Amino acid sequence: LMGNRISKFKTIMLKSANGEGCNQLLHCYQNQDSISYNLWRSALSIAAFCEEGTTAAHKMSENYPGYDPEEVEIKVQDLQRKGGPHFCETFEKENPDGCDGCQHKGKITTPITLGKEIARAEETEEGTYEVEDEEEQVSYSIPSFPFPYFRGKAGGIYRSSPEDDEPVLVYEHDLYVVKRMKDPEIGEVAYIRLHLPQDGVKEFTMAASALLGKDEPKKLLGQHGVIGHKGQMDNIVSFLVSSIKDIQLSKKAEIMRTQFGWADNDSKFIIGDREVTADNVYYSPPSTHTANIAQHMVARGTLEKWKEVFNMYSRPGLEANAFAALTAFGSPLLKFMGLSGAIINVIFKNSGSGKSTTLYMCNSVWGHPHKLASIPSDTMNARMHKLGVMNNLPFTMDEITNMRAEDFSNMAYAMSQGRGKDRQKASANELRANNTTWGNISLTSGNASFYEK
């Protein structure tokens, strides 16, 4: 499968020497000086299609008195070009007694079957396999698999076992656990990568607890494109569980991000599912906190067209709109001024003045113009949660005209304090963990001044 199945001539000959292989090939090797041309050619046809190829062909010919290395190589090339390994019946036709007593007679059609095995991929010095995705021209490092699993030379997962004649195919495509992560809500999470021949590379996460169920892990894997029959799916789940346990011995789990913006002592910046450092951009799987918003933080269109649209704010009379929209770039810097939050309310008494568009322009720097904005029907708790997730990115709230003054007052105090309210656990006399914090600029729009309200 996928170019992983090979045959080794050495394996065939070792079996033959022990009485478990092909007596015809053993006869050809031991009697090179006396066998017929046709029998020699049949023996070469097996060697030619084994991994050792020409080397094995020379071993089957070098004791012939008229041995000519060049002739052997020409014959091998001719066999490889025009045919395939000869059948058992071809050997028996040329040497009728050679197949007498063969334990494989009637069970195989050609001696090359006796040397079949799965070619293993070669690891790098770091214990990984380097592969390239032609779709994106990106190089990936696939970690070595836990024993008894191994990767095929052309990809795929195999499991070796003393009870099996040959390794068992677990899954025909590259599928592996990249790392362990911890989600504050669901606990241990496996970050998994899947390589598909037509769709390229897909990345997804699964709760470790989900892999322990009976049917749930198969359903979740199927949703991400990992498809197999019942027995195969059981093998795939067992492989993933073994991989997680193996990583637990060597690497500490990483924390999944619950907020966007600055992280790890301001050495990293989180945007959607990306982690930006001074040197590179890495994939950062969204947690349950950030997943719904992260899906709207993707690049679309071109920078040139975006600049062309944004530059409409350079016109006289649109200075206030430009100031508000540019909070997209100012918001991530607010924390370095020692402030936890600020509010800019874009007001104009009439509709159609471009208030909402200003908010959308701000959002367009980070993702989807409309879907990143809060709307009037959002609950207060939903707004506070979203404010905490955005963290250092701007928080936009459209059309607050009909919002009660008391509600806005509570929100304004919370925004300036930089954290959500504490809550007590229902089952214990203690506070819940409060991870809802922020340091950003909130951009709102309305038809009236809430400063006056």
Side-chain angles (χ1 to χ4, degrees), residues 78-281:
D78 184 60
L79 287 164
Q80 292 172 338
R81 186 171 60 254
K82 295 181 179 179
H86 286 189
F87 296 118
C88 295
E89 61 184 35
T90 306
F91 281 90
E92 190 170 18
K93 181 179 179 181
E94 190 63 32
N95 182 26
D97 298 332
C99 294
D100 291 348
C102 177
Q103 60 181 329
H104 306 292
K105 194 170 184 178
K107 299 177 182 178
I108 63 173
T109 58
T110 171
I112 201 170
T113 306
L114 302 173
K116 66 179 181 180
E117 60 181 69
I118 302 299
R120 296 177 179 242
E122 294 184 6
E123 297 180 16
T124 65
E125 293 181 1
E126 291 78 22
T128 60
Y129 310 103
E130 298 298 327
V131 298
E132 290 188 1
D133 177 43
E134 295 180 1
E135 288 281 325
E136 300 183 33
Q137 295 183 336
V138 176
S139 179
Y140 291 93
S141 293
I142 301 178
S144 57
F145 299 162
F147 181 82
Y149 300 96
F150 67 92
R151 180 174 181 267
K153 189 174 182 179
I157 309 162
Y158 295 83
R159 185 188 70 233
S160 57
S161 171
E163 294 81 22
D164 299 318
D165 293 333
E166 66 173 77
V168 175
L169 173 66
V170 175
Y171 189 53
E172 55 268 33
H173 305 301
D174 282 328
L175 173 73
Y176 51 95
V177 179
V178 179
K179 55 186 174 183
R180 298 165 51 229
M181 308 193 81
K182 282 190 177 178
D183 186 295
E185 292 290 330
I186 61 177
E188 181 103 354
V189 169
Y191 165 32
I192 300 170
R193 191 177 288 149
L194 167 67
H195 296 242
L196 292 176
Q198 300 300 323
D199 301 332
V201 179
K202 300 173 67 176
E203 295 169 322
F204 59 94
T205 58
M206 280 186 67
S209 59
L211 289 168
L212 303 179
K214 183 178 180 181
D215 297 319
E216 184 182 9
K218 303 166 191 175
K219 181 179 178 181
L220 292 173
L221 287 168
Q223 290 174 352
H224 293 291
V226 182
I227 306 297
H229 54 73
K230 183 180 182 301
Q232 187 178 22
M233 292 304 290
D234 288 336
N235 286 337
I236 292 171
V237 172
S238 296
F239 164 72
L240 293 174
V241 170
S242 296
S243 297
I244 295 173
K245 293 175 70 174
D246 189 60
I247 296 175
Q248 285 177 331
L249 296 174
S250 58
K251 295 179 183 178
K252 186 177 180 180
E254 297 182 19
I255 303 298
M256 296 185 81
R257 307 297 183 179
T258 58
Q259 296 177 295
F260 303 129
W262 298 103
D264 298 349
N265 295 320
D266 305 329
S267 64
K268 300 171 182 175
F269 200 86
I270 312 300
I271 310 170
D273 62 359
R274 286 156 292 161
E275 179 181 280
V276 183
T277 70
D279 305 315
N280 212 332
V281 179

